[in-house]
Amino acid sequence: MSGVGVQDWTWTIEAPAGWLVVPSTVTEPAETVGAWQGEAVELLLTSFLPQDSVGGAQPDAGHVELVRDSLTQTVASLVAFADEAATEGARAIAGLGLLDRGPVPVLVTVGMMDPAESDDALMTVLGATGGNPVNPVNPPSIEYPELPDGDGIQVTRVDIDEAGGAWVTVAVGRRTEHPEAVVDTALIWRSQDLVLVPTILETLVGLLSAVKIIRSEP
């Protein structure tokens, strides 16, 4: 994040168990991202293949390689998602094992503004406004969950794409006000997997605390 006044502001993600912070080739060396991809594939492989047991049959080698190839493509897609996010100053995280799904990508954004110019930018980022003017659906559902460090905002909305497909977006955010800055944090998930919505709603609210805003004095 950019600085306001004499303060320097940064933010990090301390991913809890079951979540991975996805690196981007936009902000990190290619070798670092490549090493992460290899580690992520092996981590996922252990969850997709049967666990060894005493006297149990070993997975077929050919099947293992097919799964590995599929997971390699999946992890590469996560990095591509992170690359796209990084161009906008955002980051990506991925949840593992949510309803037995593959890695579930979530966009993480943090924005800062002068308190004198505080507006409804967070509501816009979360999708509480705007949408598809051609195929409108019901207005976004907006709730205000209680967070450990204050009140949050939760937005659930459905949009129709040009092909007529329904896309659900779940976004949660918080606004933290400081004397010298207003800091907005948002987590956004978008998918056609409607079955996953209740789990994502519960998960993202708890995940907000993983995003740490750091202020350092000059």
Side-chain angles (χ1 to χ4, degrees):
M1 293 188 322
S2 59
V4 170
V6 296
Q7 294 276 2
D8 288 328
W9 297 71
T10 59
W11 60 281
T12 61
I13 306 172
E14 298 179 3
W19 287 85
L20 298 176
V21 178
V22 185
S24 165
T25 59
V26 175
T27 57
E28 300 178 57
E31 57 270 23
T32 299
V33 177
W36 179 88
Q37 287 180 274
E39 294 171 358
V41 168
E42 294 305 314
L43 175 64
L44 292 170
L45 193 63
T46 60
S47 64
F48 276 83
L49 293 177
Q51 299 298 307
D52 293 341
S53 59
V54 178
Q58 297 298 311
D60 177 79
H63 175 66
V64 171
E65 287 309 306
L66 285 175
V67 174
R68 188 190 304 276
D69 288 345
S70 176
L71 292 175
T72 298
Q73 296 177 25
T74 297
V75 171
S77 295
L78 288 177
V79 172
F81 180 78
D83 285 348
E84 184 177 354
T87 61
E88 301 295 332
R91 299 197 67 182
I93 55 177
L96 309 179
L98 297 178
L99 295 186
D100 296 325
R101 302 300 199 271
V104 176
V106 172
L107 182 70
V108 183
T109 71
V110 175
M112 186 173 58
M113 67 189 71
D114 190 304
E117 301 176 359
S118 180
D119 56 21
D120 63 350
L122 181 59
M123 297 294 281
T124 301
V125 169
L126 296 177
T129 59
N132 191 322
V134 179
N135 299 301
V137 291
N138 292 331
S141 170
I142 303 174
E143 298 182 25
Y144 297 89
E146 184 175 338
L147 304 175
D149 54 353
D151 294 331
I153 303 172
Q154 175 181 295
V155 179
T156 306
R157 62 178 296 154
V158 177
D159 294 288
I160 306 299
D161 62 22
E162 295 180 354
W167 288 82
V168 62
T169 301
V170 175
V172 299
R174 69 175 180 222
R175 168 162 286 184
T176 306
E177 297 184 359
H178 303 276
E180 67 277 23
V182 173
V183 182
D184 291 340
T185 304
L187 306 180
I188 304 169
W189 170 81
R190 186 171 186 262
S191 176
Q192 291 185 299
D193 190 353
L194 303 182
V195 176
L196 197 53
V197 171
T199 299
I200 286 292
L201 281 170
E202 180 179 356
T203 301
L204 292 191
V205 171
L207 197 61
L208 268 176
S209 61
V211 183
K212 308 296 184 182
I213 311 300
I214 303 168
R215 295 184 295 168
S216 59
E217 299 286 351

